[in-house]
Amino acid sequence: MREAILLVGGQGTRLRPLTINTPKPMLPVAGVPFTVHQILRAREAGVTRLVLATSYKADVFASFLADSALVGPDSGIEVVIATEEVPLGTGGAIRFASAMLESGPDEPVLVFNGDVLTGLDIDGLVNYHQDSQSDVTLYLTRVDDPRAYGLVPTNEAGEVLQFLEKPQTPEEIVTDQINAGCYVFTRNVIDSIPADRAVSVERETFPQLLEANRRVSGVVDPGYWLDLGTPLAFVQGSVDLVRGFAPSPAVTTPSHYLALLGAEISRSAELSNGTTIGAQAQVGAGAVIDGCVVFDGAVIGDRCRIRNSIIGAGAVIENDCTVEGSVVGDGARVGAHNELRDGVRVWANAVIPELAIRFSADQ
Ligand code: GDD
Ligand code: MG
């Protein structure tokens, strides 16, 4: 038996307004909630039991799991839900969810952040953890700008030297290696995390383990990695899944675009660069949609040009609009001839009259 905890309790603030009704891991990416891609990747790596560590909007996960054939009881991976009444932070969530684990004290337990898309060899990480007899093994990746992440310098033997979460000063930027959001914990290390209070693994548990000279290993993997926490990254992750650049058992045939069941797309519309058109969504004549995620039931008018954007469920974009690098919330209505660029966010159910916006967010 191999067990895992998937951390999905965060509020997804950077993806508002999309995360007002739907927790970030339940947003659809390449046709299924993002969580499904992660659960199927875990199953592929031999995980047979997975605890979803929920807090924010836990009921959305529960009702999805109750109906889903993809990750239901017959799918080869048992998914159970732990719900923190009050969010306990990443460490507190791991400790709380561990009550539902069956692994013994010396067995490895996988932990995943709920918003990272990776090509990691998960099985290889567990093997490394066991071969090196580590207390915790961290999956690391290299990025150009590490400031928004946990910095993790290692020595030549792969031992972690420091853990610096979201460094504040230039002196703290000691490496381009970051915590990529997947760990293997030996079960008894999880048992040593304080129960019933908020704990951050990044700010408290990892630094304390290092202080106590416990063996914390880091494995740098050069493969695909993306944190889907911002709108542009979310779109990028979806596009990369549809196009087959990022691996997922839920995407069997890579393609230039994906149209879900019941989508109505005009024959003169152009869909490209990994765009997904949700179920029952409509795309009008002459519309050009490039690298976008259009959620279920959204309506895109004639001659609209939409790029690198997310259009929420049931939103309506009337004719002749331009939308670039922006987010339109669920149920919003954008009147004809509007131009949304560079990070505009239209709130859920907002109504924008015709010709109201023709400037970018930072003007
Ligand atoms: N159950 C539960 N309870 N889950 C939580 C809680 C909580 O209180 N707080 C956060 N989470 C979950 C989020 O849902 C997410 O899946 C994960 O923990 C990480 O939280 P984020 O809010 O996405 O953190 P981040 O992206 O700023 O930073 C983290 O990920 C980076 C890599 O993507 C850190 O782990 C960084 O060190 C890391 O580099
Ligand atoms: Mg994140």
Side-chain angles (χ1 to χ4, degrees):
M1 184 182 58
R2 181 171 285 178
E3 292 187 304
I5 296 170
L6 184 51
L7 297 172
V8 292
Q11 297 208 1
T13 26
R14 289 168 295 172
L15 280 176
R16 281 184 191 156
L18 300 169
T19 46
I20 297 286
N21 300 316
T22 310
K24 173 166 63 175
M26 285 299 295
L27 291 172
V29 178
V32 293
F34 183 65
T35 287
V36 171
H37 296 286
Q38 284 194 300
I39 294 174
L40 297 183
R41 286 264 295 137
R43 185 184 70 181
E44 202 177 49
V47 173
T48 49
R49 186 179 160 80
L50 181 141
V51 186
L52 268 183
T54 66
S55 176
Y56 179 67
K57 303 242 171 259
D59 53 315
V60 180
F61 294 93
S63 46
F64 175 77
L65 285 183
D67 292 344
S68 173
L70 283 170
V71 291
D74 301 327
S75 68
I77 179 166
E78 185 189 3
V79 180
V80 292
I81 298 186
T83 303
E84 301 139 50
E85 291 302 325
V86 178
L88 291 172
T90 47
I94 295 168
R95 174 68 207 260
F96 183 77
S98 73
M100 297 178 99
L101 296 175
E102 290 167 8
S103 300
D106 298 323
E107 289 186 275
V109 175
L110 276 156
V111 176
F112 301 96
N113 281 359
D115 62 351
V116 292
L117 181 57
T118 80
L120 171 71
D121 171 10
I122 298 171
D123 200 35
L125 193 75
V126 178
N127 291 337
Y128 186 97
H129 178 78
Q130 292 184 301
D131 293 346
S132 60
Q133 300 191 329
S134 299
D135 291 300
V136 182
T137 301
L138 278 63
Y139 159 38
L140 311 178
T141 191
R142 290 202 162 90
V143 294
D144 292 337
D145 182 359
R147 285 174 298 174
Y149 304 104
L151 271 58
V152 190
T154 49
N155 65 15
E156 279 169 11
E159 293 166 334
V160 171
L161 302 172
Q162 258 183 308
F163 195 105
L164 296 155
E165 181 69 8
K166 311 217 168 81
Q168 298 294 313
T169 61
E171 296 75 55
E172 287 182 306
I173 302 176
V174 292
T175 177
D176 61 353
Q177 288 179 183
I178 61 148
N179 167 24
C182 169
Y183 325 112
V184 186
F185 276 81
T186 300
R187 166 72 195 263
N188 59 30
V189 177
I190 297 179
D191 296 338
S192 71
I193 298 173
D196 302 324
R197 73 161 169 89
V199 179
S200 157
V201 272
E202 296 88 347
R203 295 182 194 276
E204 188 174 337
T205 312
F206 295 146
Q208 279 175 0
L209 288 168
L210 293 170
E211 190 72 21
N213 282 322
R214 303 288 292 270
R215 167 90 201 202
V216 181
S217 296
V219 175
V220 183
D221 186 287
Y224 186 97
W225 181 84
L226 190 67
D227 174 320
L228 273 68
T230 63
L232 282 180
F234 182 86
V235 168
Q236 186 67 52
S238 180
V239 160
D240 288 345
L241 278 163
V242 171
R243 301 205 60 189
F245 301 154
S248 167
V251 181
T252 43
T253 323
S255 51
H256 288 291
Y257 72 88
L258 176 66
L260 302 180
L261 207 66
E264 285 177 32
I265 298 161
S266 161
R267 287 172 67 180
S268 61
E270 281 176 41
L271 309 180
S272 62
N273 193 20
T275 288
T276 298
I277 305 294
Q280 262 79 47
Q282 296 170 33
V283 179
V288 176
I289 309 187
D290 175 4
C292 289
V293 188
V294 176
F295 288 177
D296 292 354
V299 179
I300 312 289
D302 298 346
R303 299 172 301 281
C304 285
R305 308 183 84 79
I306 311 206
R307 249 183 102 227
N308 298 348
S309 296
I310 310 169
I311 310 299
V316 177
I317 313 289
E318 293 181 355
N319 295 345
D320 301 294
C321 285
T322 299
V323 183
E324 281 192 17
S326 295
V327 176
V328 177
D330 295 346
R333 177 174 282 270
V334 178
H337 299 283
N338 279 297
E339 204 172 292
L340 316 181
R341 294 185 198 270
D342 305 333
V344 171
R345 290 181 196 224
V346 177
W347 211 245
N349 301 317
V351 178
I352 298 182
E354 227 174 273
L355 270 167
I357 302 184
R358 296 193 69 83
F359 51 83
S360 69
D362 41 24
Q363 274 177 318

